[in-house]
Amino acid sequence: MSASKGAGGRVRNTLPLAPFLLYLLVFLLIPTIAIVVGSVSQDGGFTTDKLQALFGGAAMRALGKSVLVSAVTAVIGAVLGAVLSWLVVSAPPTSLLRRTVTSVCSVLAQFGGVMLAFAFIATIGYSGVLTQWFHDHGSLDLYGSGWLYSVKGLLLVYSYFQIPLMVIVFLPALEGLRVQWREAAVSLGATPRQYWTHVAAPLLAPAFLGSTLLLFANAFAAYATAAALISQGNPIVPLMIRTAMTSEVVLGQAGFAYALALEMVVVVAVVMTLYTLLLRRTSRWLR
């Protein structure tokens, strides 16, 4: 009787999660299974040809540039976002500056895709506002050789939404530093530098590294902005997947997109696992 009540209680407790579990099933689990099956099958049989193609020259170059763009923008976003977070948390909680910065960052962190690409093209593209202004009032050529439409352009555009995203995810950790810890350190004779190096920095390190990993995954999985900026070539993995899906033959193999997608799933899964471990360590002192 008690066992049936226990089982019934667990079912009732799980029932509110049913829509979320259904969402995970339809939009995460089933697509992942389809990617895994599609990457190791062809014409009804098992094959590793698609996976072996991942080690080809074009695929490795695309993976290297994807990792480069993601790592560089993650570091830029993490450092600048952490500095901005520190400036925000230094202001009073109800100040206009603090509320304005957090609100703006919440909006800019979601401002990506085609809209963001168009904003940069309209500003510093071939006929952009700033490009034309500098052309008419000086000799500076902002457009150059079209760097905005290359990996260099992705570094700038991705950093635009990485910095506010860092503020959103890192600000709670900075707010979690208790005033009593600083007062205790000062009462024991610690200088502000000693407090930050021996108390605050070790506490914030897991949160900072976890946020950096989150930024890396965010940039690694981004597609729409790069697709709107770069129409030719496949400098990063998402654009190579697009080409594989729209081309009949890529590297001599049909369905190469499945293997590339599996590669991205593995990279993002590893990064997010590390992020979860660091987040769990941070949550110990944020309680």
Side-chain angles (χ1 to χ4, degrees):
M1 184 68 179
S2 59
S4 61
K5 286 185 175 179
R10 285 193 293 272
V11 171
R12 285 194 296 273
N13 293 333
T14 309
L15 196 58
L17 296 175
F20 177 67
L21 296 176
L22 180 63
Y23 177 86
L24 291 180
L25 175 67
V26 174
F27 294 103
L28 181 62
L29 185 59
I30 292 178
T32 303
I33 294 175
I35 289 172
V36 174
V37 173
S39 62
V40 296
S41 64
Q42 187 170 5
D43 299 329
F46 177 80
T47 180
T48 60
D49 292 345
K50 299 172 187 174
L51 297 179
Q52 292 177 1
L54 293 176
F55 298 95
M60 291 300 293
R61 284 193 295 274
L63 177 62
K65 289 182 179 178
S66 283
V67 172
L68 175 66
V69 170
S70 304
V72 171
T73 58
V75 171
I76 293 174
V79 173
L80 297 182
V83 173
L84 183 57
S85 300
W86 179 75
L87 294 175
V88 170
V89 83
S90 299
T94 57
S95 66
L96 179 61
L97 173 65
R98 185 165 179 170
R99 286 181 294 171
T100 302
V101 172
T102 53
S103 300
V104 170
C105 287
S106 300
V107 174
L108 295 182
Q110 306 301 322
F111 187 69
V114 179
M115 293 185 298
L116 180 60
F118 175 75
F120 273 88
I121 292 173
T123 304
I124 56 176
Y126 179 74
S127 302
V129 176
L130 286 182
T131 303
Q132 292 299 317
W133 192 89
F134 279 104
H135 180 269
D136 297 338
H137 296 83
S139 58
L140 181 61
D141 183 11
L142 282 183
Y143 181 75
S145 58
W147 61 273
L148 180 62
Y149 307 99
S150 65
V151 172
K152 295 179 182 178
L154 293 182
L155 294 177
L156 174 65
V157 178
Y158 279 18
S159 299
Y160 183 86
F161 57 77
Q162 294 278 61
I163 295 173
L165 179 60
M166 180 65 181
V167 174
I168 299 302
V169 298
F170 189 61
L171 193 58
L174 277 175
E175 291 176 334
L177 287 178
R178 299 175 184 174
V179 179
Q180 294 86 345
W181 297 343
R182 175 191 288 270
E183 293 174 347
V186 172
S187 65
L188 293 174
T191 63
R193 180 179 179 181
Q194 290 173 326
Y195 164 74
W196 279 102
T197 55
H198 296 289
V199 179
L203 286 172
L204 293 173
F208 180 81
L209 293 176
S211 301
T212 305
L213 290 174
L214 184 65
L215 298 186
F216 178 91
N218 184 47
F220 191 79
Y223 165 73
T225 303
L229 278 177
I230 302 174
S231 58
Q232 296 181 348
N234 306 304
I236 59 176
V237 176
L239 298 185
M240 181 171 276
I241 293 177
R242 176 190 62 182
T243 302
M245 293 176 63
T246 56
S247 176
E248 293 294 331
V249 178
V250 177
L251 298 179
Q253 302 176 39
F256 183 53
Y258 283 110
L260 291 169
L262 179 61
E263 182 182 62
M264 293 194 67
V265 169
V266 172
V267 173
V268 173
V270 171
V271 171
M272 294 312 296
T273 300
L274 295 175
Y275 167 73
T276 303
L277 295 176
L278 290 170
L279 186 64
R280 183 179 303 173
R281 185 172 179 179
T282 304
S283 63
R284 294 175 183 172
W285 60 269
L286 278 178
R287 295 171 183 169

